[in-house]
């Protein structure tokens, strides 16, 4: 709840609380509380006041009512004879009875010498006028009147009686009995005084002279009736049904003990309630259990205060309004708590829903949500295609700059992508995003998009460049979003395989990938099934055409797939790692066969980059040389890329190979992207110029490249071999360009190892 709402609620509560308190809504509850307080206080009466009870038994003994006045006279005489101090009759003497009886009573009153009081009371007639019931004049001549009215009816209970009659000034019995006390207009009775302990004497016993004088001597006596048939019964707090006369006794005792209560009404309670409200509104919100504790404690404290004021100062304060307000505060708090919890729950649900449908880091859709969105588009005929974009270099950036920068780069990347396209964007993997397209992008549009994404990202002072690769698939009627996504994935994988910037899905991609899986699977058992073989390609001196070496080339005749070209299975073996086993087999087999056939020339074997990374090439070569083939006739061909990086551990491996006498040749030279400058610093012996240069040799530029490389090689004391020589013309040009060796179909297809040794044969 906002503070404003809380204040409004607080004011509303206070108004309701005050209104209900003033309307007496809480009176029954307060009555119950007061009954408890009275019972808890439980004071002893003064014992100065005695009740003479015309009880049911006394009525039965006499048999008639009203009693002959002579009986009242007799009771008065007896009491006076027993030494009673004063006697008050709570009995109606306003009507005449038999003259003799009235005379007898008047005589007794006269004898009492002014120490007898007779009841006078005001009644309201049916017409609404006041009518007084007052003792007969002849009685009044000897006895004063005493008011016996009660008032202060609240919650059906008698709380007070008038100290005197306001219009006539007639004092109550309590006032008559306590003439020296200060008299309040309304005398609130302290029911804490235990009325059960008031000395009560039966009228019958009194008439029979059977009363112990000690009970009456020096006491003030009130005569009244408890007989139900006489209908002088009232409801009082704590004691329930009381004879009217007993209420007079209670009032007289209250005054005697100086306990006339002062009614404070609901106001103190309301003030305290206002303070509680103020606290709960303005102070910081407490935890529920603490709030409950504090409110309950405050209620107890208010209860204690009320009891203390009553017990010590005779002040009567209502507390029910306070408790009611405290309870409603708690209820509101509980409701509030539930509302807050429900809101919290709803928020959590929303969050969960969001997380289920989004990538938390970037805010991109999840794959599931993307598919849903794409399906909706399909339903609206909007979907034209899917574009997958893979960020290729963020991981490297992470390794060198810290992962939070890479994460931030990905976030910004997503923002750029999201801003650049219209359709739904999802993050499928940490590096892969999918975009739904409503129009297929043209090549130009795609380039603009990719270029935009590859613009460096400025993050914390760094400029991070990301490289991306894409795969796309076009939607066709009948395709599902899932299938479309799958096709885009396939296109992306194909682009990756082919080292392309991206590719659009074509139907034969699936076939290619299936073929790949088949080749990969079959290759794993190729060695065990003895399906591998070696072909040897001659290496020939350019000028003399003498065969000086051979390159061992792997051949595979698969039982299931038939002949598979190394151009197909070697890259696959490099990816899957099986190249380590294959390379090992080639090295051993080539050396073994060379030794076996008495080959006296050089032997070249190809070693793939993956072998350097994943195995101990030196140990492998040494093991192959155990066949007896001399190390100084062995060439190891490596690709340009692997040394161009200047990777220290690979350079070290090459040095160790050279240390045991093996020569190193750089295969396919010129196809890598590296500069020539690294050549000088590398442990190599031979450069093998790639056949693509031979194909371009008929152009001036192609010839120039070969010439330059050959010259550079010579300058570095490296020997030069050119591969892919197919014609005599090519051979002639290469001879002029100062290339030592050549290799190519001009001298035959790769085949079995020549049996007559090297140097003997002149290649055809
Ligand atoms: P490479 O090492 O550059 O081998 C030369 C490739 O060019 C061979 O293809 C060979 O048959 C072909 N070739 C030779 N002369 C000519 C020519 O005059 N014209 C044309 N058009 N091609 C010619 P191959 O045997 O299909 O091997 C392809 C590639 O497979 C090799 O290229 C090599 O990188 C890899 N490879 C072959 N055997 C192995 C091996 O045992 N281990 C490793 N790691 N790679 C191997
Ligand atoms: Mg080679
Ligand atoms: Mg080559």
């Amino acid at each position: 709840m906002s503070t404003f709402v809380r204040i409004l609620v607080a004011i509303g509560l206070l108004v309701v609380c005050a209104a209900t308190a003033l309307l007496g809504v809480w009176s029954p509850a307060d009555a119950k509380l007061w009954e408890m307080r009275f019972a808890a206080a439980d004071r002893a009466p003064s014992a100065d006041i005695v009740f003479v009870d015309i009880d049911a038994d006394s009525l039965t003994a006499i048999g008639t009512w009203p009693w002959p006045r002579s009986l009242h006279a007799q009771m008065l005489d007896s009491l006076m004879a027993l030494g009673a101090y004063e006697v008050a009759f709570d009995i109606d003497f306003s009507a005449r009875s038999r003259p003799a009886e009235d005379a007898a009573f008047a005589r007794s009153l006269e004898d009492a010498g002014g120490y007898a009081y007779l009841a006078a009371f005001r009644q309201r007639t049916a017409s609404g006028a006041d009518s007084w019931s007052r003792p007969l004049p002849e009685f009044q001549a000897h006895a004063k009147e005493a008011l016996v009215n009660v008032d202060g009816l609240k919650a059906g209970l008698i709380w007070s009686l008038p100290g005197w009659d306001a219009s006539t000034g007639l004092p109550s019995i309590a006032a008559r009995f306590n003439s020296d006390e200060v008299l309040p207009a309304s005398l609130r009775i302290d029911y804490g005084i235990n009325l059960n302990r008031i000395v009560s004497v039966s009228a019958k016993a009194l008439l029979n002279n059977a009363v112990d004088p000690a009970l009456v001597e020096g006491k003030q006596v009130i005569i009244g009736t408890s007989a139900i048939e006489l209908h002088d019964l009232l409801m009082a707090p704590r004691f329930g049904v009381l004879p009217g006369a007993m209420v007079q006794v209670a009032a007289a005792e209250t005054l005697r003990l100086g306990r006339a209560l002062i009614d404070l009404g609901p106001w103190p309670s309301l003030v305290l309630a206002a303070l509680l409200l103020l606290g709960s509104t303005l102070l910081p919100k407490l935890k529920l259990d603490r709030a409950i504790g504090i409110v309950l404690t405050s209620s107890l404290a208010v209860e204690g205060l009320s009891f203390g004021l009553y017990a010590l100062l005779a002040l009567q304060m209502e507390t029910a309004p306070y408790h009611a307000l405290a309870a409603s505060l708690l209820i509101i708090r509980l409701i509030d708590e539930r509302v807050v919890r429900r809101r919290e729950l709803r928020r959590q649900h929303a969050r969960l829903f969001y997380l289920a449908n989004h990538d938390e880091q970037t805010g991109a859709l999840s794959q599931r949500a993307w598919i849903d969105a794409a399906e909706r588009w399909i339903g609206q005929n909007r979907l034209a295609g899917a574009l997958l974009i893979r960020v290729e270099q963020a991981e490297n950036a992470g390794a060198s700059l810290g992962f939070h920068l890479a994460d931030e780069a990905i976030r910004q990347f997503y923002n750029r992508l999201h801003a650049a396209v219209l359709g739904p964007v999802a993050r499928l993997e940490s590096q892969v995003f999918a975009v739904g397209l409503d129009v297929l992008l043209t090549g130009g549009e795609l380039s603009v998009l990719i270029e935009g994404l590859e613009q460096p990202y400025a993050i914390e002072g760094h400029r991070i460049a990301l490289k991306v690769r894409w795969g796309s698939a076009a939607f066709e009627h009948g395709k599902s979003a899932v299938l479309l996504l799958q096709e885009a994935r396939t296109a992306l994988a194909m682009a990756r395989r082919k080292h392309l910037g991206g590719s659009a899905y074509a139907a034969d991609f699936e076939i290619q990938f299936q073929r790949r899986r088949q080749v990969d699977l079959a290759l794993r058992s190729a060695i065990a099934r003895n399906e591998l073989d070696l072909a040897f390609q001659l290496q020939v001196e350019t000028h003399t055409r003498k065969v000086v070496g051979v390159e061992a080339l792997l051949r595979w005749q698969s039982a299931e797939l038939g002949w598979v070209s190394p151009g197909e299975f070697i890259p696959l073996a490099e990816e899957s790692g099986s190249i380590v086993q294959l390379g090992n087999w080639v090295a051993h087999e080539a050396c073994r066969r060379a030794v076996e056939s008495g080959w006296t020339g050089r032997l070249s074997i190809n070693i793939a980059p993956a072998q350097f990374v994943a195995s101990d090439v030196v140990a492998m070569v040494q093991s192959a040389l155990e066949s007896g083939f001399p190390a100084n006739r062995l060439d190891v061909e490596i690709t340009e890329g692997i040394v161009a990086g200047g990777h220290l551990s690979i350079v070290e491996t090459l040095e160790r190979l050279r240390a045991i006498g093996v020569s190193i040749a750089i295969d396919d030279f010129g196809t890598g992207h590296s500069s020539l400058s690294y050549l000088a610093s590398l442990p190599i012996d031979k450069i093998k110029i790639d056949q693509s240069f031979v194909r371009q040799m008929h152009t001036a530029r192609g010839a120039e490249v070969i010439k330059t490389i050959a010259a550079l090689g010579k300058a570095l004391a490296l020997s030069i071999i050119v591969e892919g020589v197919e014609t005599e013309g090519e051979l002639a040009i290469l001879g002029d360009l100062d290339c030592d060796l050549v290799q190519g179909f001009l001298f035959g297809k790769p085949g079995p190892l020549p049996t007559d040794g090297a140097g003997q044969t002149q290649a055809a």
Side-chain angles (χ1 to χ4, degrees), residues 537 551 554-555 566 586 606 608 667-668 691 723-724 726 744-745:
Q537 182 165 36
E551 177 180 6
L554 190 54
R555 296 291 176 256
V586 169
N606 294 282
D667 203 353
D668 303 339
Q691 51 177 291
E723 59 181 331
E726 293 179 353
F745 291 169

Side-chain angles (χ1 to χ4, degrees), residues 304-378:
L305 174 69
S306 169
F307 187 75
L309 289 176
Y310 157 67
L312 301 175
L313 303 173
L315 296 176
Q316 214 173 1
M317 160 188 164
E318 292 174 13
T319 56
Y322 181 88
H323 298 318
L325 185 117
S328 26
L329 262 188
L330 281 186
I331 289 168
I332 288 175
R333 180 60 208 274
L334 284 172
I335 292 172
D336 188 35
E337 194 80 8
R338 277 188 72 107
V339 169
V340 166
R341 184 136 12 108
R342 194 131 354 122
R343 203 178 300 151
E344 183 59 30
L345 222 65
R346 227 176 298 139
R347 228 198 326 259
Q348 276 174 2
H349 272 137
R351 180 102 191 101
L352 276 180
F353 184 77
Y354 179 85
L355 286 182
N357 288 291
H358 293 84
D359 166 50
E360 208 189 355
Q361 193 191 348
T362 58
L365 295 178
S366 67
Q367 174 166 321
R368 183 71 257 160
W370 188 91
I371 287 171
D372 288 346
E375 284 295 349
R376 270 196 302 280
W377 272 30
I378 291 174

